[in-house]
Amino acid sequence: MPTVSAHVAATLALHIDHVFGVMGNGNAYFLDALERSTDVGYTAVRHEAGGVVAADAYHRAGGGLAAATATYGAGFTNTLTALAEAVQAHVPLVLVVGDEPTSGRRPWGVDQIALASAVGARTYTVGRADAAATTVIAIEHALTYRVPTVLAIPYDVAALEAGPVPEAPEPRLPEPVAPRGPFAAQSIRDAATALAGAKRPFLLAGRGAWIAGAGDALGALADATGALTASTALGRGIFPRPEFDLGVTGGFGAEAAMELVEQADVAVVFGASLNQFTMRFGALFAPGTRVVQVDLAPAATHPHVGGYIRGDAALVARAIADELAVIGAEPSGWRESVDAASARAYEPGDALATDGRVDPRSAAARIAELLPEDRVVVSDGGHFIGWANMYWPVASPDRMMMVGTAFQSIGLGFPSVPGAAQARPDATIVLTSGDGGGLMALADLESAVRVAGGRGLAVVWNDAAYGAEVNLYGLKGLAEEPMLIPQVDFAGVARGFGAEGVVVRTLEDLDRLEEWTRMPASDRPFLLLDLRISGSVIAPYQQEIIRVNS
Ligand SMILES: Cc1ncc(C[n+]2csc(CCOP(=O)(O)OP(=O)(O)O)c2C)c(N)n1
């Protein structure tokens, strides 16, 4: 007879393809049922945070809804940082955990529902009689509100026999939000009129636009208006015509490109929350720029917004384009008068910095020339995030993700690799990480090497320091000792996990990447590039933060 855990596994299997996690007392029956009676894939990771990170990266890389699993108590508390990240980044996933018995807490128990709630995640606890239905509700909540949910299996319920698995209803999912009512209709007409009259129209898109599938609609709107385009860091690659795209806005943006954005007279923003980084701490638009925002938030999310349309980015983009056609608007011609490719170019950097270590800018530029086209980039957090975000082109938003940045956490890089690798079985997965975050996530270097194999490449920006801290607090004169890391031999560590490790002390050492890229993935090892970079080159986005903080 199927157990309660088997009811959870069988119902989950109708809606997800993959589970990532670490086993223990609390999820042993669930994993047993998953392995024996479903065709859901299971990937073991080595730290429970990694299970949630991998499920998160799986979703961001376009794999759909995934689940993570951990045992009760310490297994669960190990997930909390990653769970907070998924909450803050609006990533749906289901975390299946063991929990205290229905008879009450044991000495080693903690209030898991309160802990999950504290980071913003709702818990659904299955009972003896409702496991299938409760599993559907947890999935529905995750997908509807774009959040992680916790599905808890009490310890004394996990192995109870529960009879045949009942048919549970399909999760009900929300329709795209259509702009409704006379106010929305007028706002759309106003936006179209403003764009039709603009000399220098500009369109900005973020991850919300990608989630709405608005790429083509935005491309058509850009063509109709002759607008220059750009995206937020999470929306990179959404616009179909790179020749008219200024790249990423905010601190990662190229100086000349940001100067062009400042010249825009009308800017329409789709699916971007306009946070302080995107907005360059208020300096992205000129005071005279008319800014219209299209989003699902209840109201505008930045004080510079002068017109707000609540609705799905694709539907609103099409509605504005239809209105432009009614007006008979002509494209402005602005984008043809500008060399966008030159505007988005970055400083090439020197081969070596003055301290004799690699200049991260020239290394980033050289790696960009060598990276496989089919890549999905996953990024940890730290000062180094600027290098990939500035120098490595991104084909579409699901090919560049930063698991950790919403919650401003480091140490979630390595486990992002198995998640993205399972979501995109044909892609090369490229991790970009610092040495500090890399050490924190090290347990899941094992998972990264095992799962991605020859499709995996890790670039470690090894400056022997918590560089972001040196830049923010060392420069203020605070004691530097806690900010420093001994020179760790990541290449050697990688070899210990079965990967190839290459120490990069000069740009020529990157030639190995060129050879690696040319080999068929099946013949390659996982490659880790241990870049011995200089800490003296500070990324422009970090200089901006230093300026704002001082
Ligand atoms: C879990 C966690 N611990 C500490 C911090 C504070 N923090 C932010 S950036 C950073 C340094 C990261 O160092 P590294 O990974 O080497 O990258 P770098 O800044 O040197 O490029 C630290 C410690 C954090 N954001 N998250």
Side-chain angles (χ1 to χ4, degrees):
M1 275 293 220
T3 60
V4 167
S5 296
H7 282 213
V8 172
T11 312
L12 212 54
L14 299 173
H15 306 288
I16 62 152
D17 297 326
H18 218 93
V19 178
F20 302 87
V22 180
M23 89 159 278
N25 287 352
N27 58 355
Y29 286 92
F30 166 70
L31 280 173
D32 178 70
L34 196 77
E35 289 282 287
R36 285 176 194 276
S37 48
T38 74
D39 51 14
V40 170
Y42 174 66
T43 297
V45 294
R46 301 301 169 215
H47 189 288
E48 287 85 354
V52 174
V53 168
D56 177 327
Y58 185 91
H59 182 82
R60 294 193 212 203
L65 185 71
T69 186
T71 186
Y72 52 68
F76 170 72
T77 54
N78 265 354
T79 67
L80 286 173
T81 300
L83 199 58
E85 164 65 16
V87 169
Q88 305 218 359
H90 301 288
V91 174
L93 61 90
V94 179
L95 170 59
V96 182
V97 291
D99 204 346
E100 64 195 32
T102 52
S103 52
R105 193 160 306 154
R106 298 168 294 176
W108 52 88
V110 289
D111 187 343
Q112 295 188 186
I113 294 177
L115 286 166
S117 170
V119 300
R122 180 174 290 198
T123 300
Y124 293 91
T125 304
V126 303
R128 194 164 47 78
D130 65 349
T134 302
T135 302
V136 170
I137 292 168
I139 291 169
E140 191 169 277
H141 186 92
L143 292 173
T144 301
Y145 298 102
R146 304 195 59 80
V147 286
T149 52
V150 179
L151 187 60
I153 309 178
Y155 186 62
D156 57 336
V157 166
L160 288 183
E161 291 196 351
V165 182
E167 224 174 86
E170 285 289 305
R172 262 192 329 209
L173 300 179
E175 295 288 315
V177 177
R180 278 210 188 89
F183 283 92
Q186 185 60 43
S187 302
I188 287 168
R189 280 195 293 276
D190 287 350
T193 310
L195 281 171
K199 292 196 172 64
R200 293 174 304 281
F202 171 68
L203 304 182
L204 173 63
R207 181 156 168 261
W210 172 252
I211 289 167
D216 288 345
L218 289 173
L221 189 60
D223 290 344
T225 53
L228 280 170
T229 65
S231 68
T232 67
L234 300 181
R236 292 179 66 200
I238 187 167
F239 284 99
R241 298 187 67 175
E243 67 272 34
F244 301 125
D245 194 66
L246 297 173
V248 58
T249 64
F252 299 146
E255 208 41 54
M258 295 305 96
E259 280 166 18
L260 284 165
V261 175
E262 221 184 325
Q263 291 171 24
D265 50 1
V266 175
V268 187
V269 181
F270 293 87
S273 64
L274 299 178
N275 66 34
Q276 56 182 356
F277 302 113
T278 299
M279 290 297 279
R280 308 188 92 199
F281 297 91
L284 183 67
F285 299 120
T289 308
R290 168 137 193 231
V291 183
V292 177
Q293 187 185 21
V294 178
D295 205 272
L296 296 178
T301 60
H302 195 278
H304 290 185
V305 174
Y308 184 71
I309 306 168
R310 181 166 188 269
D312 175 86
L315 295 179
V316 176
R318 276 189 219 110
I320 295 175
D322 290 348
E323 203 56 43
L324 283 164
V326 171
I327 299 170
E330 293 290 331
S332 65
W334 188 36
R335 66 181 187 176
E336 286 79 11
S337 71
V338 162
D339 180 356
S342 309
R344 38 167 218 262
Y346 294 99
E347 282 285 311
D350 302 314
L352 297 179
T354 45
D355 57 8
R357 293 174 68 102
V358 171
D359 182 327
R361 296 167 300 184
S362 57
R366 177 71 182 133
I367 292 170
E369 291 167 3
L370 301 176
L371 284 175
E373 292 272 321
D374 68 349
R375 66 186 172 271
V376 170
V377 177
V378 298
S379 178
D380 200 350
H383 168 234
F384 70 88
I385 58 172
W387 309 130
N389 272 295
M390 292 164 69
Y391 289 86
W392 300 356
V394 177
S396 60
D398 55 350
R399 288 181 174 272
M400 169 74 203
M401 71 203 67
M402 294 181 274
V403 180
T405 44
F407 188 44
Q408 301 209 345
S409 176
I410 67 165
L412 306 181
F414 279 121
S416 300
V417 173
Q422 296 292 17
R424 304 292 279 255
D426 300 324
T428 305
I429 311 302
V430 182
L431 167 69
T432 167
S433 173
D435 48 335
L439 287 170
M440 201 178 280
L442 203 56
D444 279 306
L445 172 56
E446 192 281 327
S447 319
V449 173
R450 170 169 38 88
V451 177
R455 295 194 287 125
L457 168 71
V459 178
V460 179
W461 305 89
N462 192 348
D463 59 356
Y466 294 110
E469 307 302 353
V470 174
N471 296 340
L472 293 176
Y473 297 101
L475 294 186
K476 279 190 180 178
L478 271 63
E480 276 212 356
E481 198 49 37
M483 304 169 192
L484 303 179
I485 301 174
Q487 181 64 80
V488 171
D489 177 13
F490 271 91
V493 171
R495 284 180 216 121
F497 283 105
E500 177 180 339
V502 174
V503 176
V504 177
R505 291 196 178 85
T506 66
L507 292 181
E508 289 68 47
D509 293 333
L510 288 171
D511 292 350
R512 175 63 188 129
L513 175 58
E514 190 170 17
E515 292 159 19
W516 184 86
T517 305
R518 287 216 194 98
M519 289 163 72
S522 53
D523 296 348
R524 295 190 305 222
F526 186 102
L527 180 64
L528 184 144
L529 299 176
D530 179 354
L531 303 184
R532 303 292 167 87
I533 60 157
S534 171
S536 66
V537 183
I538 302 181
Y541 88 93
Q542 184 111 76
Q543 289 172 10
E544 188 175 83
I545 295 172
I546 294 168
R547 267 199 307 278
V548 171
N549 281 354
S550 59

